[in-house]
PDB file of all heavy atoms in Angstrom:
ATOM      1  N   ALA A   1       0.831  -1.210   0.000  1.00 88.00           N
ATOM      2  CA  ALA A   1       0.000   0.000   0.000  1.00 88.00           C
ATOM      3  C   ALA A   1       0.859   1.250   0.000  1.00 88.00           C
ATOM      4  O   ALA A   1       2.054   1.216   0.280  1.00 88.00           O
ATOM      5  CB  ALA A   1      -0.929  -0.006   1.214  1.00 88.00           C
ATOM      6  N   ARG A   2       0.216   2.352  -0.324  1.00 81.00           N
ATOM      7  CA  ARG A   2       0.859   3.665  -0.192  1.00 81.00           C
ATOM      8  C   ARG A   2      -0.207   4.679   0.207  1.00 81.00           C
ATOM      9  O   ARG A   2      -1.405   4.478  -0.027  1.00 81.00           O
ATOM     10  CB  ARG A   2       1.555   4.089  -1.482  1.00 81.00           C
ATOM     11  CG  ARG A   2       0.667   4.214  -2.694  1.00 81.00           C
ATOM     12  CD  ARG A   2       1.490   4.458  -3.945  1.00 81.00           C
ATOM     13  NE  ARG A   2       0.687   4.464  -5.153  1.00 81.00           N
ATOM     14  CZ  ARG A   2       0.150   5.555  -5.694  1.00 81.00           C
ATOM     15  NH1 ARG A   2       0.351   6.725  -5.110  1.00 81.00           N
ATOM     16  NH2 ARG A   2      -0.555   5.480  -6.805  1.00 81.00           N
ATOM     17  N   THR A   3       0.239   5.758   0.813  1.00 77.00           N
ATOM     18  CA  THR A   3      -0.675   6.783   1.303  1.00 77.00           C
ATOM     19  C   THR A   3      -0.657   7.987   0.372  1.00 77.00           C
ATOM     20  O   THR A   3       0.407   8.522   0.049  1.00 77.00           O
ATOM     21  CB  THR A   3      -0.295   7.220   2.723  1.00 77.00           C
ATOM     22  OG1 THR A   3      -0.313   6.076   3.581  1.00 77.00           O
ATOM     23  CG2 THR A   3      -1.267   8.248   3.259  1.00 77.00           C
ATOM     24  N   VAL A   4      -1.830   8.388  -0.077  1.00 72.00           N
ATOM     25  CA  VAL A   4      -1.979   9.550  -0.950  1.00 72.00           C
ATOM     26  C   VAL A   4      -3.054  10.443  -0.351  1.00 72.00           C
ATOM     27  O   VAL A   4      -4.209  10.048  -0.221  1.00 72.00           O
ATOM     28  CB  VAL A   4      -2.382   9.131  -2.376  1.00 72.00           C
ATOM     29  CG1 VAL A   4      -2.581  10.365  -3.245  1.00 72.00           C
ATOM     30  CG2 VAL A   4      -1.343   8.204  -2.978  1.00 72.00           C
ATOM     31  N   ARG A   5      -2.637  11.647   0.051  1.00 66.00           N
ATOM     32  CA  ARG A   5      -3.570  12.622   0.625  1.00 66.00           C
ATOM     33  C   ARG A   5      -4.406  12.005   1.746  1.00 66.00           C
ATOM     34  O   ARG A   5      -5.629  12.094   1.772  1.00 66.00           O
ATOM     35  CB  ARG A   5      -4.486  13.184  -0.467  1.00 66.00           C
ATOM     36  CG  ARG A   5      -3.741  13.957  -1.533  1.00 66.00           C
ATOM     37  CD  ARG A   5      -4.702  14.468  -2.602  1.00 66.00           C
ATOM     38  NE  ARG A   5      -3.980  15.197  -3.651  1.00 66.00           N
ATOM     39  CZ  ARG A   5      -4.554  15.712  -4.729  1.00 66.00           C
ATOM     40  NH1 ARG A   5      -5.872  15.581  -4.887  1.00 66.00           N
ATOM     41  NH2 ARG A   5      -3.839  16.345  -5.623  1.00 66.00           N
ATOM     42  N   ARG A   6      -3.708  11.355   2.667  1.00 68.00           N
ATOM     43  CA  ARG A   6      -4.296  10.763   3.870  1.00 68.00           C
ATOM     44  C   ARG A   6      -5.135   9.516   3.597  1.00 68.00           C
ATOM     45  O   ARG A   6      -5.710   8.941   4.508  1.00 68.00           O
ATOM     46  CB  ARG A   6      -5.142  11.790   4.641  1.00 68.00           C
ATOM     47  CG  ARG A   6      -4.335  12.991   5.131  1.00 68.00           C
ATOM     48  CD  ARG A   6      -5.199  13.905   5.981  1.00 68.00           C
ATOM     49  NE  ARG A   6      -4.430  15.040   6.462  1.00 68.00           N
ATOM     50  CZ  ARG A   6      -4.918  15.991   7.251  1.00 68.00           C
ATOM     51  NH1 ARG A   6      -6.195  15.928   7.641  1.00 68.00           N
ATOM     52  NH2 ARG A   6      -4.162  16.991   7.654  1.00 68.00           N
ATOM     53  N   ASP A   7      -5.235   9.106   2.345  1.00 73.00           N
ATOM     54  CA  ASP A   7      -5.952   7.883   2.015  1.00 73.00           C
ATOM     55  C   ASP A   7      -4.945   6.776   1.718  1.00 73.00           C
ATOM     56  O   ASP A   7      -3.931   7.010   1.052  1.00 73.00           O
ATOM     57  CB  ASP A   7      -6.858   8.090   0.793  1.00 73.00           C
ATOM     58  CG  ASP A   7      -8.047   8.973   1.108  1.00 73.00           C
ATOM     59  OD1 ASP A   7      -8.489   8.966   2.270  1.00 73.00           O
ATOM     60  OD2 ASP A   7      -8.521   9.676   0.193  1.00 73.00           O
ATOM     61  N   THR A   8      -5.235   5.577   2.193  1.00 75.00           N
ATOM     62  CA  THR A   8      -4.381   4.438   1.933  1.00 75.00           C
ATOM     63  C   THR A   8      -4.873   3.706   0.700  1.00 75.00           C
ATOM     64  O   THR A   8      -6.040   3.299   0.629  1.00 75.00           O
ATOM     65  CB  THR A   8      -4.363   3.483   3.138  1.00 75.00           C
ATOM     66  OG1 THR A   8      -3.929   4.206   4.295  1.00 75.00           O
ATOM     67  CG2 THR A   8      -3.422   2.326   2.900  1.00 75.00           C
ATOM     68  N   ILE A   9      -3.991   3.547  -0.272  1.00 77.00           N
ATOM     69  CA  ILE A   9      -4.346   2.938  -1.552  1.00 77.00           C
ATOM     70  C   ILE A   9      -3.624   1.604  -1.702  1.00 77.00           C
ATOM     71  O   ILE A   9      -2.412   1.511  -1.481  1.00 77.00           O
ATOM     72  CB  ILE A   9      -3.972   3.867  -2.719  1.00 77.00           C
ATOM     73  CG1 ILE A   9      -4.719   5.194  -2.596  1.00 77.00           C
ATOM     74  CG2 ILE A   9      -4.267   3.214  -4.056  1.00 77.00           C
ATOM     75  CD1 ILE A   9      -4.303   6.217  -3.622  1.00 77.00           C
ATOM     76  N   LYS A  10      -4.359   0.570  -2.097  1.00 79.00           N
ATOM     77  CA  LYS A  10      -3.751  -0.727  -2.368  1.00 79.00           C
ATOM     78  C   LYS A  10      -3.001  -0.661  -3.690  1.00 79.00           C
ATOM     79  O   LYS A  10      -3.515  -0.180  -4.689  1.00 79.00           O
ATOM     80  CB  LYS A  10      -4.826  -1.812  -2.410  1.00 79.00           C
ATOM     81  CG  LYS A  10      -5.510  -2.073  -1.080  1.00 79.00           C
ATOM     82  CD  LYS A  10      -6.519  -3.205  -1.166  1.00 79.00           C
ATOM     83  CE  LYS A  10      -7.685  -2.833  -2.057  1.00 79.00           C
ATOM     84  NZ  LYS A  10      -8.745  -3.871  -2.038  1.00 79.00           N
ATOM     85  N   VAL A  11      -1.776  -1.161  -3.687  1.00 80.00           N
ATOM     86  CA  VAL A  11      -0.943  -1.105  -4.878  1.00 80.00           C
ATOM     87  C   VAL A  11      -0.808  -2.477  -5.531  1.00 80.00           C
ATOM     88  O   VAL A  11      -0.930  -2.612  -6.753  1.00 80.00           O
ATOM     89  CB  VAL A  11       0.459  -0.550  -4.544  1.00 80.00           C
ATOM     90  CG1 VAL A  11       1.360  -0.587  -5.767  1.00 80.00           C
ATOM     91  CG2 VAL A  11       0.355   0.862  -3.981  1.00 80.00           C
ATOM     92  N   GLU A  12      -0.581  -3.502  -4.720  1.00 88.00           N
ATOM     93  CA  GLU A  12      -0.268  -4.822  -5.268  1.00 88.00           C
ATOM     94  C   GLU A  12      -0.615  -5.894  -4.238  1.00 88.00           C
ATOM     95  O   GLU A  12      -0.269  -5.772  -3.055  1.00 88.00           O
ATOM     96  CB  GLU A  12       1.220  -4.882  -5.618  1.00 88.00           C
ATOM     97  CG  GLU A  12       1.725  -6.231  -6.049  1.00 88.00           C
ATOM     98  CD  GLU A  12       3.232  -6.254  -6.187  1.00 88.00           C
ATOM     99  OE1 GLU A  12       3.886  -5.239  -5.864  1.00 88.00           O
ATOM    100  OE2 GLU A  12       3.756  -7.300  -6.599  1.00 88.00           O
ATOM    101  N   SER A  13      -1.300  -6.939  -4.662  1.00 93.00           N
ATOM    102  CA  SER A  13      -1.602  -8.057  -3.776  1.00 93.00           C
ATOM    103  C   SER A  13      -0.373  -8.957  -3.679  1.00 93.00           C
ATOM    104  O   SER A  13       0.185  -9.371  -4.703  1.00 93.00           O
ATOM    105  CB  SER A  13      -2.790  -8.861  -4.307  1.00 93.00           C
ATOM    106  OG  SER A  13      -3.050  -9.965  -3.462  1.00 93.00           O
ATOM    107  N   ILE A  14       0.058  -9.264  -2.458  1.00 93.00           N
ATOM    108  CA  ILE A  14       1.288 -10.051  -2.297  1.00 93.00           C
ATOM    109  C   ILE A  14       1.067 -11.350  -1.527  1.00 93.00           C
ATOM    110  O   ILE A  14       1.947 -12.211  -1.512  1.00 93.00           O
ATOM    111  CB  ILE A  14       2.379  -9.223  -1.592  1.00 93.00           C
ATOM    112  CG1 ILE A  14       1.921  -8.814  -0.194  1.00 93.00           C
ATOM    113  CG2 ILE A  14       2.769  -8.009  -2.413  1.00 93.00           C
ATOM    114  CD1 ILE A  14       3.028  -8.216   0.632  1.00 93.00           C
ATOM    115  N   TYR A  15      -0.097 -11.501  -0.881  1.00 96.00           N
ATOM    116  CA  TYR A  15      -0.316 -12.731  -0.111  1.00 96.00           C
ATOM    117  C   TYR A  15      -1.810 -12.947   0.055  1.00 96.00           C
ATOM    118  O   TYR A  15      -2.570 -12.003   0.285  1.00 96.00           O
ATOM    119  CB  TYR A  15       0.342 -12.621   1.268  1.00 96.00           C
ATOM    120  CG  TYR A  15       0.146 -13.835   2.145  1.00 96.00           C
ATOM    121  CD1 TYR A  15       0.881 -15.002   1.928  1.00 96.00           C
ATOM    122  CD2 TYR A  15      -0.778 -13.824   3.184  1.00 96.00           C
ATOM    123  CE1 TYR A  15       0.704 -16.123   2.739  1.00 96.00           C
ATOM    124  CE2 TYR A  15      -0.963 -14.937   3.999  1.00 96.00           C
ATOM    125  CZ  TYR A  15      -0.221 -16.076   3.760  1.00 96.00           C
ATOM    126  OH  TYR A  15      -0.402 -17.194   4.552  1.00 96.00           O
ATOM    127  N   SER A  16      -2.237 -14.224  -0.085  1.00 96.00           N
ATOM    128  CA  SER A  16      -3.635 -14.562   0.087  1.00 96.00           C
ATOM    129  C   SER A  16      -3.743 -15.952   0.696  1.00 96.00           C
ATOM    130  O   SER A  16      -2.956 -16.845   0.367  1.00 96.00           O
ATOM    131  CB  SER A  16      -4.368 -14.503  -1.261  1.00 96.00           C
ATOM    132  OG  SER A  16      -5.741 -14.794  -1.104  1.00 96.00           O
ATOM    133  N   LYS A  17      -4.734 -16.138   1.558  1.00 96.00           N
ATOM    134  CA  LYS A  17      -4.899 -17.429   2.237  1.00 96.00           C
ATOM    135  C   LYS A  17      -6.360 -17.607   2.620  1.00 96.00           C
ATOM    136  O   LYS A  17      -6.984 -16.703   3.183  1.00 96.00           O
ATOM    137  CB  LYS A  17      -4.018 -17.496   3.480  1.00 96.00           C
ATOM    138  CG  LYS A  17      -4.239 -18.713   4.368  1.00 96.00           C
ATOM    139  CD  LYS A  17      -3.432 -18.601   5.639  1.00 96.00           C
ATOM    140  CE  LYS A  17      -3.711 -19.749   6.591  1.00 96.00           C
ATOM    141  NZ  LYS A  17      -5.116 -19.753   7.075  1.00 96.00           N
ATOM    142  N   THR A  18      -6.909 -18.782   2.332  1.00 97.00           N
ATOM    143  CA  THR A  18      -8.259 -19.111   2.768  1.00 97.00           C
ATOM    144  C   THR A  18      -8.238 -19.451   4.249  1.00 97.00           C
ATOM    145  O   THR A  18      -7.375 -20.202   4.715  1.00 97.00           O
ATOM    146  CB  THR A  18      -8.823 -20.294   1.965  1.00 97.00           C
ATOM    147  OG1 THR A  18      -8.849 -19.948   0.579  1.00 97.00           O
ATOM    148  CG2 THR A  18     -10.227 -20.652   2.431  1.00 97.00           C
ATOM    149  N   ILE A  19      -9.181 -18.900   4.999  1.00 96.00           N
ATOM    150  CA  ILE A  19      -9.244 -19.118   6.452  1.00 96.00           C
ATOM    151  C   ILE A  19     -10.036 -20.391   6.725  1.00 96.00           C
ATOM    152  O   ILE A  19     -11.175 -20.540   6.279  1.00 96.00           O
ATOM    153  CB  ILE A  19      -9.888 -17.912   7.148  1.00 96.00           C
ATOM    154  CG1 ILE A  19      -9.052 -16.649   6.883  1.00 96.00           C
ATOM    155  CG2 ILE A  19     -10.038 -18.163   8.640  1.00 96.00           C
ATOM    156  CD1 ILE A  19      -9.704 -15.368   7.360  1.00 96.00           C
ATOM    157  N   GLY A  20      -9.430 -21.329   7.435  1.00 94.00           N
ATOM    158  CA  GLY A  20     -10.087 -22.586   7.757  1.00 94.00           C
ATOM    159  C   GLY A  20     -11.017 -22.460   8.950  1.00 94.00           C
ATOM    160  O   GLY A  20     -10.798 -21.630   9.840  1.00 94.00           O
ATOM    161  N   SER A  21     -12.041 -23.270   8.977  1.00 92.00           N
ATOM    162  CA  SER A  21     -13.011 -23.218  10.085  1.00 92.00           C
ATOM    163  C   SER A  21     -12.357 -23.557  11.415  1.00 92.00           C
ATOM    164  O   SER A  21     -12.808 -23.098  12.475  1.00 92.00           O
ATOM    165  CB  SER A  21     -14.168 -24.183   9.803  1.00 92.00           C
ATOM    166  OG  SER A  21     -13.679 -25.510   9.627  1.00 92.00           O
ATOM    167  N   GLU A  22     -11.271 -24.359  11.381  1.00 93.00           N
ATOM    168  CA  GLU A  22     -10.591 -24.728  12.626  1.00 93.00           C
ATOM    169  C   GLU A  22      -9.845 -23.546  13.243  1.00 93.00           C
ATOM    170  O   GLU A  22      -9.440 -23.599  14.415  1.00 93.00           O
ATOM    171  CB  GLU A  22      -9.610 -25.876  12.366  1.00 93.00           C
ATOM    172  CG  GLU A  22      -8.364 -25.521  11.563  1.00 93.00           C
ATOM    173  CD  GLU A  22      -8.620 -25.437  10.059  1.00 93.00           C
ATOM    174  OE1 GLU A  22      -9.773 -25.673   9.632  1.00 93.00           O
ATOM    175  OE2 GLU A  22      -7.658 -25.132   9.315  1.00 93.00           O
ATOM    176  N   GLU A  23      -9.675 -22.469  12.490  1.00 94.00           N
ATOM    177  CA  GLU A  23      -8.986 -21.294  13.016  1.00 94.00           C
ATOM    178  C   GLU A  23      -9.939 -20.338  13.726  1.00 94.00           C
ATOM    179  O   GLU A  23      -9.499 -19.379  14.361  1.00 94.00           O
ATOM    180  CB  GLU A  23      -8.288 -20.543  11.869  1.00 94.00           C
ATOM    181  CG  GLU A  23      -7.235 -21.349  11.132  1.00 94.00           C
ATOM    182  CD  GLU A  23      -6.628 -20.586   9.977  1.00 94.00           C
ATOM    183  OE1 GLU A  23      -5.669 -19.823  10.218  1.00 94.00           O
ATOM    184  OE2 GLU A  23      -7.107 -20.732   8.831  1.00 94.00           O
ATOM    185  N   ILE A  24     -11.237 -20.583  13.619  1.00 96.00           N
ATOM    186  CA  ILE A  24     -12.250 -19.679  14.147  1.00 96.00           C
ATOM    187  C   ILE A  24     -12.468 -19.918  15.646  1.00 96.00           C
ATOM    188  O   ILE A  24     -12.532 -21.054  16.107  1.00 96.00           O
ATOM    189  CB  ILE A  24     -13.581 -19.858  13.398  1.00 96.00           C
ATOM    190  CG1 ILE A  24     -13.385 -19.571  11.904  1.00 96.00           C
ATOM    191  CG2 ILE A  24     -14.662 -18.976  13.984  1.00 96.00           C
ATOM    192  CD1 ILE A  24     -12.984 -18.162  11.587  1.00 96.00           C
ATOM    193  N   SER A  25     -12.575 -18.834  16.406  1.00 96.00           N
ATOM    194  CA  SER A  25     -12.912 -18.894  17.835  1.00 96.00           C
ATOM    195  C   SER A  25     -14.215 -18.134  18.042  1.00 96.00           C
ATOM    196  O   SER A  25     -14.277 -16.916  17.821  1.00 96.00           O
ATOM    197  CB  SER A  25     -11.801 -18.276  18.684  1.00 96.00           C
ATOM    198  OG  SER A  25     -10.582 -18.974  18.531  1.00 96.00           O
ATOM    199  N   SER A  26     -15.272 -18.838  18.455  1.00 95.00           N
ATOM    200  CA  SER A  26     -16.591 -18.218  18.655  1.00 95.00           C
ATOM    201  C   SER A  26     -16.957 -18.241  20.136  1.00 95.00           C
ATOM    202  O   SER A  26     -16.450 -19.047  20.913  1.00 95.00           O
ATOM    203  CB  SER A  26     -17.654 -18.961  17.835  1.00 95.00           C
ATOM    204  OG  SER A  26     -17.397 -18.847  16.452  1.00 95.00           O
ATOM    205  N   GLY A  27     -17.861 -17.312  20.497  1.00 94.00           N
ATOM    206  CA  GLY A  27     -18.307 -17.242  21.879  1.00 94.00           C
ATOM    207  C   GLY A  27     -17.234 -16.758  22.831  1.00 94.00           C
ATOM    208  O   GLY A  27     -17.186 -17.160  23.996  1.00 94.00           O
ATOM    209  N   VAL A  28     -16.356 -15.873  22.329  1.00 95.00           N
ATOM    210  CA  VAL A  28     -15.276 -15.330  23.156  1.00 95.00           C
ATOM    211  C   VAL A  28     -15.141 -13.837  22.895  1.00 95.00           C
ATOM    212  O   VAL A  28     -15.569 -13.329  21.856  1.00 95.00           O
ATOM    213  CB  VAL A  28     -13.922 -16.020  22.863  1.00 95.00           C
ATOM    214  CG1 VAL A  28     -13.956 -17.489  23.263  1.00 95.00           C
ATOM    215  CG2 VAL A  28     -13.541 -15.860  21.386  1.00 95.00           C
ATOM    216  N   ILE A  29     -14.537 -13.145  23.846  1.00 95.00           N
ATOM    217  CA  ILE A  29     -14.134 -11.753  23.647  1.00 95.00           C
ATOM    218  C   ILE A  29     -12.708 -11.594  24.169  1.00 95.00           C
ATOM    219  O   ILE A  29     -12.308 -12.275  25.122  1.00 95.00           O
ATOM    220  CB  ILE A  29     -15.067 -10.759  24.372  1.00 95.00           C
ATOM    221  CG1 ILE A  29     -15.153 -11.067  25.879  1.00 95.00           C
ATOM    222  CG2 ILE A  29     -16.438 -10.722  23.736  1.00 95.00           C
ATOM    223  CD1 ILE A  29     -15.912 -10.029  26.662  1.00 95.00           C
ATOM    224  N   PRO A  30     -11.900 -10.739  23.537  1.00 96.00           N
ATOM    225  CA  PRO A  30     -10.547 -10.507  24.036  1.00 96.00           C
ATOM    226  C   PRO A  30     -10.552  -9.520  25.204  1.00 96.00           C
ATOM    227  O   PRO A  30     -11.239  -8.493  25.165  1.00 96.00           O
ATOM    228  CB  PRO A  30      -9.818  -9.924  22.823  1.00 96.00           C
ATOM    229  CG  PRO A  30     -10.892  -9.290  22.003  1.00 96.00           C
ATOM    230  CD  PRO A  30     -12.158 -10.042  22.264  1.00 96.00           C
ATOM    231  N   VAL A  31      -9.787  -9.855  26.233  1.00 96.00           N
ATOM    232  CA  VAL A  31      -9.672  -9.011  27.420  1.00 96.00           C
ATOM    233  C   VAL A  31      -8.231  -8.524  27.519  1.00 96.00           C
ATOM    234  O   VAL A  31      -7.286  -9.297  27.337  1.00 96.00           O
ATOM    235  CB  VAL A  31     -10.069  -9.793  28.687  1.00 96.00           C
ATOM    236  CG1 VAL A  31      -9.876  -8.934  29.929  1.00 96.00           C
ATOM    237  CG2 VAL A  31     -11.515 -10.269  28.583  1.00 96.00           C
ATOM    238  N   LEU A  32      -8.058  -7.232  27.796  1.00 96.00           N
ATOM    239  CA  LEU A  32      -6.720  -6.649  27.889  1.00 96.00           C
ATOM    240  C   LEU A  32      -6.131  -6.880  29.265  1.00 96.00           C
ATOM    241  O   LEU A  32      -6.758  -6.596  30.282  1.00 96.00           O
ATOM    242  CB  LEU A  32      -6.780  -5.146  27.589  1.00 96.00           C
ATOM    243  CG  LEU A  32      -5.447  -4.394  27.629  1.00 96.00           C
ATOM    244  CD1 LEU A  32      -4.510  -4.877  26.528  1.00 96.00           C
ATOM    245  CD2 LEU A  32      -5.675  -2.884  27.500  1.00 96.00           C
ATOM    246  N   GLU A  33      -4.904  -7.398  29.297  1.00 92.00           N
ATOM    247  CA  GLU A  33      -4.168  -7.589  30.535  1.00 92.00           C
ATOM    248  C   GLU A  33      -2.807  -6.928  30.394  1.00 92.00           C
ATOM    249  O   GLU A  33      -2.277  -6.801  29.292  1.00 92.00           O
ATOM    250  CB  GLU A  33      -4.006  -9.081  30.844  1.00 92.00           C
ATOM    251  CG  GLU A  33      -5.329  -9.811  31.030  1.00 92.00           C
ATOM    252  CD  GLU A  33      -5.142 -11.301  31.294  1.00 92.00           C
ATOM    253  OE1 GLU A  33      -3.998 -11.788  31.140  1.00 92.00           O
ATOM    254  OE2 GLU A  33      -6.132 -11.976  31.647  1.00 92.00           O
ATOM    255  N   GLN A  34      -2.218  -6.535  31.519  1.00 84.00           N
ATOM    256  CA  GLN A  34      -0.932  -5.852  31.488  1.00 84.00           C
ATOM    257  C   GLN A  34       0.137  -6.729  32.124  1.00 84.00           C
ATOM    258  O   GLN A  34       0.062  -7.069  33.293  1.00 84.00           O
ATOM    259  CB  GLN A  34      -1.000  -4.510  32.218  1.00 84.00           C
ATOM    260  CG  GLN A  34       0.322  -3.753  32.227  1.00 84.00           C
ATOM    261  CD  GLN A  34       0.802  -3.393  30.822  1.00 84.00           C
ATOM    262  OE1 GLN A  34       0.037  -2.896  30.000  1.00 84.00           O
ATOM    263  NE2 GLN A  34       2.070  -3.645  30.538  1.00 84.00           N
ATOM    264  N   GLY A  35       1.140  -7.113  31.321  1.00 82.00           N
ATOM    265  CA  GLY A  35       2.331  -7.772  31.820  1.00 82.00           C
ATOM    266  C   GLY A  35       3.508  -6.884  31.495  1.00 82.00           C
ATOM    267  O   GLY A  35       3.462  -5.675  31.665  1.00 82.00           O
ATOM    268  N   ILE A  36       4.566  -7.486  31.001  1.00 86.00           N
ATOM    269  CA  ILE A  36       5.668  -6.663  30.497  1.00 86.00           C
ATOM    270  C   ILE A  36       5.183  -5.835  29.314  1.00 86.00           C
ATOM    271  O   ILE A  36       5.555  -4.676  29.142  1.00 86.00           O
ATOM    272  CB  ILE A  36       6.853  -7.565  30.092  1.00 86.00           C
ATOM    273  CG1 ILE A  36       7.379  -8.325  31.311  1.00 86.00           C
ATOM    274  CG2 ILE A  36       7.962  -6.746  29.453  1.00 86.00           C
ATOM    275  CD1 ILE A  36       8.478  -9.308  30.999  1.00 86.00           C
ATOM    276  N   ASP A  37       4.317  -6.442  28.508  1.00 92.00           N
ATOM    277  CA  ASP A  37       3.668  -5.750  27.394  1.00 92.00           C
ATOM    278  C   ASP A  37       2.165  -5.945  27.510  1.00 92.00           C
ATOM    279  O   ASP A  37       1.702  -6.951  28.060  1.00 92.00           O
ATOM    280  CB  ASP A  37       4.131  -6.320  26.052  1.00 92.00           C
ATOM    281  CG  ASP A  37       5.588  -6.043  25.768  1.00 92.00           C
ATOM    282  OD1 ASP A  37       5.922  -4.871  25.524  1.00 92.00           O
ATOM    283  OD2 ASP A  37       6.394  -6.994  25.796  1.00 92.00           O
ATOM    284  N   PRO A  38       1.351  -5.004  26.999  1.00 95.00           N
ATOM    285  CA  PRO A  38      -0.098  -5.226  26.967  1.00 95.00           C
ATOM    286  C   PRO A  38      -0.429  -6.498  26.192  1.00 95.00           C
ATOM    287  O   PRO A  38       0.121  -6.747  25.119  1.00 95.00           O
ATOM    288  CB  PRO A  38      -0.628  -3.972  26.263  1.00 95.00           C
ATOM    289  CG  PRO A  38       0.422  -2.928  26.483  1.00 95.00           C
ATOM    290  CD  PRO A  38       1.724  -3.674  26.480  1.00 95.00           C
ATOM    291  N   THR A  39      -1.347  -7.283  26.752  1.00 96.00           N
ATOM    292  CA  THR A  39      -1.627  -8.612  26.224  1.00 96.00           C
ATOM    293  C   THR A  39      -3.129  -8.857  26.173  1.00 96.00           C
ATOM    294  O   THR A  39      -3.870  -8.405  27.053  1.00 96.00           O
ATOM    295  CB  THR A  39      -0.960  -9.685  27.120  1.00 96.00           C
ATOM    296  OG1 THR A  39       0.457  -9.475  27.121  1.00 96.00           O
ATOM    297  CG2 THR A  39      -1.261 -11.085  26.638  1.00 96.00           C
ATOM    298  N   LEU A  40      -3.577  -9.551  25.136  1.00 97.00           N
ATOM    299  CA  LEU A  40      -4.975  -9.958  25.037  1.00 97.00           C
ATOM    300  C   LEU A  40      -5.111 -11.433  25.382  1.00 97.00           C
ATOM    301  O   LEU A  40      -4.239 -12.240  25.066  1.00 97.00           O
ATOM    302  CB  LEU A  40      -5.516  -9.705  23.629  1.00 97.00           C
ATOM    303  CG  LEU A  40      -5.560  -8.259  23.142  1.00 97.00           C
ATOM    304  CD1 LEU A  40      -6.079  -8.197  21.712  1.00 97.00           C
ATOM    305  CD2 LEU A  40      -6.416  -7.394  24.055  1.00 97.00           C
ATOM    306  N   ARG A  41      -6.211 -11.766  26.035  1.00 96.00           N
ATOM    307  CA  ARG A  41      -6.525 -13.162  26.350  1.00 96.00           C
ATOM    308  C   ARG A  41      -8.022 -13.363  26.146  1.00 96.00           C
ATOM    309  O   ARG A  41      -8.829 -12.529  26.551  1.00 96.00           O
ATOM    310  CB  ARG A  41      -6.123 -13.503  27.784  1.00 96.00           C
ATOM    311  CG  ARG A  41      -6.482 -14.936  28.198  1.00 96.00           C
ATOM    312  CD  ARG A  41      -6.134 -15.183  29.663  1.00 96.00           C
ATOM    313  NE  ARG A  41      -4.720 -15.378  29.831  1.00 96.00           N
ATOM    314  CZ  ARG A  41      -4.121 -16.570  29.751  1.00 96.00           C
ATOM    315  NH1 ARG A  41      -4.849 -17.652  29.475  1.00 96.00           N
ATOM    316  NH2 ARG A  41      -2.834 -16.691  29.924  1.00 96.00           N
ATOM    317  N   PHE A  42      -8.393 -14.459  25.500  1.00 96.00           N
ATOM    318  CA  PHE A  42      -9.805 -14.736  25.257  1.00 96.00           C
ATOM    319  C   PHE A  42     -10.524 -15.096  26.563  1.00 96.00           C
ATOM    320  O   PHE A  42      -9.990 -15.802  27.411  1.00 96.00           O
ATOM    321  CB  PHE A  42      -9.979 -15.892  24.271  1.00 96.00           C
ATOM    322  CG  PHE A  42      -9.847 -15.491  22.837  1.00 96.00           C
ATOM    323  CD1 PHE A  42      -9.235 -16.332  21.914  1.00 96.00           C
ATOM    324  CD2 PHE A  42     -10.344 -14.279  22.385  1.00 96.00           C
ATOM    325  CE1 PHE A  42      -9.126 -15.975  20.582  1.00 96.00           C
ATOM    326  CE2 PHE A  42     -10.236 -13.905  21.049  1.00 96.00           C
ATOM    327  CZ  PHE A  42      -9.626 -14.757  20.157  1.00 96.00           C
ATOM    328  N   LYS A  43     -11.761 -14.584  26.647  1.00 95.00           N
ATOM    329  CA  LYS A  43     -12.648 -14.918  27.763  1.00 95.00           C
ATOM    330  C   LYS A  43     -13.965 -15.421  27.171  1.00 95.00           C
ATOM    331  O   LYS A  43     -14.515 -14.818  26.244  1.00 95.00           O
ATOM    332  CB  LYS A  43     -12.899 -13.675  28.622  1.00 95.00           C
ATOM    333  CG  LYS A  43     -13.852 -13.912  29.779  1.00 95.00           C
ATOM    334  CD  LYS A  43     -14.077 -12.623  30.557  1.00 95.00           C
ATOM    335  CE  LYS A  43     -15.056 -12.839  31.697  1.00 95.00           C
ATOM    336  NZ  LYS A  43     -15.305 -11.582  32.444  1.00 95.00           N
TER     337      LYS A  43
END
């Protein structure tokens, strides 16, 4: 991508992947926790 007058424009597609159903997490929300770095954990 590149930015032109504050708008982000797609220039070239470089990677594509079909998302498998086994990668899906339903019935959860991410919760923010603070460790050494801010971290998300599903609840």
Side-chain angles (χ1 to χ4, degrees):
R2 60 188 175 92
T3 302
V4 178
R5 297 179 181 178
R6 299 185 179 181
D7 289 331
T8 303
I9 300 174
K10 293 183 294 186
V11 176
E12 173 188 4
S13 178
I14 61 170
Y15 179 76
S16 182
K17 172 186 176 296
T18 300
I19 300 172
S21 58
E22 71 281 359
E23 299 177 85
I24 301 296
S25 298
S26 296
V28 295
I29 56 173
V31 177
L32 181 65
E33 299 178 350
Q34 180 62 47
I36 298 176
D37 293 290
T39 299
L40 297 178
R41 177 184 283 271
F42 278 143
K43 178 182 179 181

